[in-house]
Amino acid sequence: MTASKVSPTTRLLLDVDTGIDDAVALLYLMAAPGVAIEAITCTAGNVGAGQVAANNLALLELGGCVGVEVALGSEVPLEVPLVTTEETHGDQGIGYAVLPTARQGISVRHAVDVWVDTVRAHPGEITGLITGPLTNFALALRAEPRLPVLLKNLVIMGGAFNYPGNTTPVAEWNVSVDPHAAREVFAAYRGLPEEKLPVVCALETTERIECRPEHIDRLSRAAGAGPEHVSPDDAAGTLSTNANPVITCLSDALRFYLEFHRLYDQGYVAHLHDLFAAMVATGEARYSTRLATVDVETDSQLTIGQTVGDFTGMWRRLPNARVVSENHPGECFDLMIDRLSALARMREAARRR
């Protein structure tokens, strides 16, 4: 069982396609102690890359985290056409939430330059956290093949192993958006020491992080913002009337996600894939992993985007990933409520000053 503790300073470089669950993860990271967000790079996925950047800038301002560089990356996958998923995350990517346009602008640097320059400047100190398609990181690897050894750690949210996909019967969303990039990334890690292999948070464990209305209500009460009523009996699109802007944002974003999952017969729940990956990256989540050799299907029309993991050495190829095999959802939600309620209280206090 892995039970890491947060180091005095966990330095993170994020690559995201923000998205509702990315947004929750980003707010959590702003509230996690000892965490420094070095930069955020943006890729097209849940929405277009420009909207991803706008979402990140607005969320940073909401959370009071100013001065973090937000850089645009690739606006299309390496080889396949871009497919976005506004039906899952809303036209702006954060559900029903509406945030003011941020005062900070997008960086003049490209995401690839941010990855390469940051990791070269701080070898062995940066943990990468990728919660979107792997396009930017694949391009960065082409520019600097030593990134896997220069990084301290890499955490990836993506894939599904011996588990149904959420985009096709066999493919998870992030990998399916850019399967060629995912294949390049896993190939780059083959044969490295175990401690350098990416930790892969795939659907079989991230779908266990099921946010329900009671979690939103607990969060609001813990923040001192009173009850937050979110119910499957509410009319679709009902908006929060909470006075706390962080709670309002989270409630309105998550309501959209709850409604989406119900529409597809998964219940009135919201899978917070990226929140779990963020907690792995900070070291606050308990989890177990299994070594695997991972490859990605890129040719078959039937199974493109499928992540195939060899956990027993049948391919006779060295491992290239540590795939999460066990996690603890209840602990994750306790931690989410603790961290995000503290952020909500702090931001409300700042607003009242």
Side-chain angles (χ1 to χ4, degrees):
M1 180 70 66
T2 300
S4 304
K5 293 183 179 179
V6 180
S7 61
T9 301
T10 301
R11 304 177 69 175
L12 296 179
L13 204 167
L14 314 184
D15 196 288
V16 296
D17 64 338
T18 313
I20 293 167
D21 52 333
D22 309 73
V24 178
L26 178 54
L27 289 168
Y28 155 76
L29 289 171
M30 285 186 251
V35 170
I37 301 173
E38 298 290 319
I40 303 175
T41 57
C42 308
T43 188
N46 290 321
V47 288
Q51 184 62 52
V52 169
N55 290 346
N56 292 326
L57 289 165
L59 288 162
L60 287 168
E61 194 159 299
L62 175 69
C65 189
V66 297
V68 174
E69 182 177 13
V70 175
L72 273 177
S74 182
E75 300 192 54
V76 292
L78 296 183
E79 297 188 29
V80 297
L82 173 64
V83 177
T84 56
T85 183
E86 286 81 0
E87 72 278 7
T88 307
H89 294 271
D91 290 343
Q92 306 301 310
I94 49 175
Y96 295 122
V98 177
L99 293 174
T101 301
R103 288 165 286 188
Q104 180 181 327
I106 297 171
S107 173
V108 297
R109 294 201 293 170
H110 190 275
V112 169
D113 297 321
V114 172
W115 270 102
V116 172
D117 294 347
T118 304
V119 178
R120 278 178 177 168
H122 306 284
E125 298 179 16
I126 304 297
T127 294
L129 171 61
I130 305 175
T131 63
L134 288 155
T135 314
N136 287 337
F137 193 65
L139 292 171
L141 282 167
R142 293 179 182 182
E144 174 50 279
R146 297 181 301 154
L147 283 178
V149 295
L150 292 173
L151 280 166
K152 181 180 180 181
N153 292 303
L154 180 66
V155 178
I156 296 170
M157 190 278 125
F161 298 94
N162 304 313
Y163 190 86
N166 63 354
T167 304
T168 75
V170 295
E172 176 274 331
W173 168 256
N174 287 337
V175 175
S176 105
V177 170
D178 197 341
H180 298 85
R183 193 168 202 224
E184 286 191 25
V185 169
F186 285 115
Y189 276 86
R190 189 165 299 134
L192 291 185
E194 181 176 338
E195 66 272 13
K196 288 293 186 181
L197 300 182
V199 177
V200 180
C201 306
L203 287 183
E204 60 269 21
T205 47
T206 64
E207 284 197 345
R208 287 165 46 82
I209 312 302
E210 288 189 344
C211 183
R212 300 176 181 274
E214 54 264 33
H215 294 123
I216 302 170
D217 185 60
R218 281 178 56 197
L219 170 59
S220 182
R221 292 174 188 269
E228 180 66 7
H229 178 84
V230 177
S231 168
D233 297 327
D234 295 339
T238 300
L239 298 181
S240 173
T241 58
N242 203 294
N244 186 297
V246 173
I247 299 299
T248 296
C249 174
L250 288 164
S251 181
D252 288 345
L254 287 167
R255 183 186 290 275
F256 190 99
Y257 218 24
L258 293 163
E259 291 175 1
F260 165 80
H261 286 81
R262 179 177 60 181
L263 184 64
Y264 286 88
D265 298 322
Q266 297 178 60
Y268 201 66
V269 301
H271 295 141
L272 299 187
H273 314 276
D274 298 340
L275 176 66
F276 173 65
M279 290 177 173
V280 169
T282 64
E284 290 201 305
R286 278 198 308 136
Y287 63 95
S288 300
T289 62
R290 296 175 65 196
L291 281 174
T293 303
V294 175
D295 208 338
V296 181
E297 178 58 54
T298 57
D299 296 321
S300 167
Q301 291 185 357
L302 185 65
T303 60
I304 188 169
Q306 182 176 15
T307 44
V308 182
D310 177 7
F311 293 90
T312 58
M314 291 182 177
W315 287 337
R316 300 186 184 278
R317 284 154 42 188
L318 292 171
N320 59 1
R322 293 174 285 171
V323 178
V324 176
S325 56
E326 182 183 5
N327 59 358
H328 302 270
E331 293 178 10
C332 290
F333 282 111
D334 288 345
L335 183 58
M336 179 192 86
I337 290 163
D338 183 57
R339 297 288 182 247
L340 292 181
S341 64
L343 180 68
R345 287 195 303 271
M346 180 184 71
R347 296 306 296 152
E348 178 63 13
R351 188 172 72 93
R352 290 176 179 273
R353 286 201 292 268

